[in-house]
Amino acid sequence: MPARELIYYPDPRLRAVAQPVTRFDADLRALADDLLETLAAVSAIGLTAVHLGLPQRVAIIRLQPDLAPVLYVNPEIAAASAETASHQEGSVSMPGVMEPVERPAAVTVRYRDLDGAAQEEQAEGFLAACLQHEIDQLDGVFWIERLTRLRRERALKRYAKLRRTAG
């Protein structure tokens, strides 16, 4: 399957709440293949169907190119630690802009695999941040909403400048 086109901030679809997947079929497998191809094409760590303009609750994460990607269907955070950690975050839908974001340091995520089987994963550190970031996206929360107002405004100004100089 080919890589798909991304949508870019401020596209309103980035703030839409993704709908749960109810059919675990060939269409879902095709979407998973497209997500993987697009993830590789844009050299990203994580990607959701929302980044492709599709309001489906599907995400893929691959922390390093040599690691196998993990597909998360209908992911949700079941538990989060009180302890927090800060990690640099950005988005394929807002290229060139990164900021540190404070989030719970560890999470438990429940999700389905491609066959619809229930799964649960404990994550900490950078993986925990990535999972929370992608689940936020599926919940209609774009990552800059996790920044202070001042840092969000600066990030938006940097992004506007990057877009002006790019085209």
Side-chain angles (χ1 to χ4, degrees):
M1 290 279 145
R4 292 203 190 180
E5 288 288 319
L6 297 173
I7 59 172
Y8 293 95
Y9 184 86
D11 191 307
R13 293 175 289 179
L14 291 168
R15 291 222 166 93
V17 176
Q19 299 302 305
V21 172
T22 57
R23 293 178 35 208
F24 294 79
D25 57 9
D27 288 342
L28 178 60
R29 289 187 185 286
L31 173 58
D33 288 344
D34 287 356
L35 281 168
L36 180 58
E37 289 293 324
T38 306
L39 182 81
V42 298
S43 299
I45 292 170
L47 191 67
T48 68
V50 172
H51 290 110
L52 307 180
L54 305 170
Q56 294 179 299
R57 203 163 178 82
V58 181
I60 190 168
I61 293 177
R62 181 172 53 195
L63 293 183
Q64 297 176 12
D66 59 332
L67 294 177
V70 178
L71 188 79
Y72 300 87
V73 181
N74 299 334
E76 61 184 18
I77 296 173
S81 67
E83 179 186 352
T84 62
S86 180
H87 295 276
Q88 283 289 111
E89 294 188 23
S91 175
V92 296
S93 291
M94 185 183 256
V97 178
M98 293 187 77
E99 287 287 332
V101 177
E102 189 90 11
R103 296 183 182 274
V107 293
T108 300
V109 174
R110 289 191 188 120
Y111 65 99
R112 303 274 176 184
D113 63 21
L114 265 180
D115 297 317
Q119 304 290 328
E120 186 171 283
E121 182 174 345
Q122 317 281 318
E124 57 185 33
F126 188 58
L127 177 57
C130 292
L131 283 163
Q132 293 171 83
H133 176 102
E134 301 307 344
I135 291 170
D136 267 358
Q137 185 65 70
L138 296 172
D139 291 337
V141 179
F142 197 63
W143 74 279
I144 60 172
E145 293 174 48
R146 297 287 182 199
L147 302 174
T148 63
R149 192 185 98 235
L150 178 61
R151 288 185 34 228
R152 183 173 46 252
E153 288 172 359
R154 280 191 290 190
L156 288 170
K157 284 180 185 175
R158 268 197 325 271
Y159 182 60
K161 183 178 179 181
L162 287 168
R163 286 182 67 174
R164 279 193 308 274
T165 58

